[in-house]
Amino acid sequence: RATEAKAPATSWVLRPKLEAKFNDSLQVMLVAREAITKVTAEESADQIYSVAGTLLAQAGRTDEAITLLKDGIAKLPVNNVVWLYPKLGDLLTQAGKTDEAIALLNDGIAKLPVNSAAGLYPKLGDLLTQAGKNDEAIALLKDGIKKLPVNSAAGLYPKLGDLLAQAGKTDEAI
């Protein structure tokens, strides 16, 4: 088998995809759990969490996907979970757990290196706006603009401008 004890990490990343194609989502979960024990964080364990989480969600097993991604964020080094935060945030939002998604994305912004957290600002800003927390969204976007490099913050300016205009602060929006 390509996924024996010393198999390359890429084989372990591919295996859940194959299991999803030919078996059920329970087998995907079992393979993912096995892969997680065999592959180190440095060898792409984050990809295993990400792939398995996506496959489980596509199979309608959202709660298991959420649990798996939370496990990945808790167990892997912070530099290896960059892509797990937005994926988990999306699943939590789809599951109607908006407050939990907001807390998660705030946690990601606080824990991840600034450049790695850049993609979380617009996602969190949108969630805060949808939750009617416009003042929090404005503060978040202003914070992102201050902290992020100019090229990473570029997408925050239009969102901030729209929110400020909606709040009647057109002078500040300009």
Side-chain angles (χ1 to χ4, degrees), residues 24-101:
D24 64 7
S25 55
L26 177 61
Q27 189 62 27
V28 170
M29 187 67 162
L30 293 172
V31 167
R33 291 285 179 201
E34 182 182 2
I36 289 164
T37 65
K38 308 260 188 218
V39 178
T40 66
E42 295 77 25
E43 294 179 307
S44 306
D46 59 320
Q47 289 181 33
I48 294 167
Y49 280 101
S50 181
V51 166
T54 299
L55 293 170
L56 288 167
Q58 288 171 348
R61 297 177 78 150
T62 305
D63 288 341
E64 289 173 74
I66 288 171
T67 300
L68 183 72
L69 292 173
K70 284 180 179 179
D71 185 51
I73 289 171
K75 288 183 178 178
L76 295 174
V78 73
N79 290 336
N80 294 80
V81 296
V82 173
W83 303 113
L84 301 184
Y85 275 98
K87 188 174 293 276
L88 179 55
D90 288 345
L91 288 177
L92 289 167
T93 302
Q94 291 166 12
K97 299 176 181 182
T98 305
D99 289 341
E100 195 175 340

Side-chain angles (χ1 to χ4, degrees), residues 135-157:
D135 290 341
E136 286 181 51
I138 289 170
L140 170 82
L141 295 173
K142 284 181 177 181
D143 184 56
I145 288 168
K146 285 180 191 171
K147 289 181 178 176
L148 296 171
V150 174
N151 62 334
S152 296
L156 302 181
Y157 286 98

Side-chain angles (χ1 to χ4, degrees), residues 5-21:
K6 294 189 180 190
T10 53
S11 296
W12 282 107
V13 172
L14 177 61
R15 180 127 180 248
K17 292 178 185 178
L18 293 172
E19 292 296 342
K21 192 170 192 150

